[in-house]
Amino acid sequence: MEMQPRLDYGSLVPGLGRAMGGLDHLVRSSPLANQEPLLIELVKIRASQINGCAY
């Protein structure tokens, strides 16, 4: 199976990296991070699986 070239999201959607970083910061500073840290990691792992990337 041949790999498809990855999209350059930074050029397609300027500011996307900054927005994703802000979302990550918001989640990590929320009460959820203290109550359910494993849930946050599971969501990240599952999103990586769906996107076909290694987290």
Side-chain angles (χ1 to χ4, degrees):
M1 183 154 78
E2 212 171 298
M3 294 275 299
Q4 298 273 342
R6 296 191 181 263
L7 292 174
D8 183 7
Y9 294 107
S11 65
L12 291 173
V13 184
L16 180 65
R18 204 169 24 258
M20 293 297 289
L23 176 61
D24 184 60
H25 176 72
L26 177 68
V27 170
R28 288 181 185 270
S29 62
S30 73
L32 180 64
N34 293 327
Q35 294 174 3
E36 298 290 341
L38 293 178
L39 176 62
I40 293 171
E41 292 304 311
L42 287 173
V43 169
K44 288 182 178 182
I45 291 169
R46 184 61 185 137
S48 294
Q49 290 172 338
I50 291 169
N51 291 325
C53 55
Y55 169 70

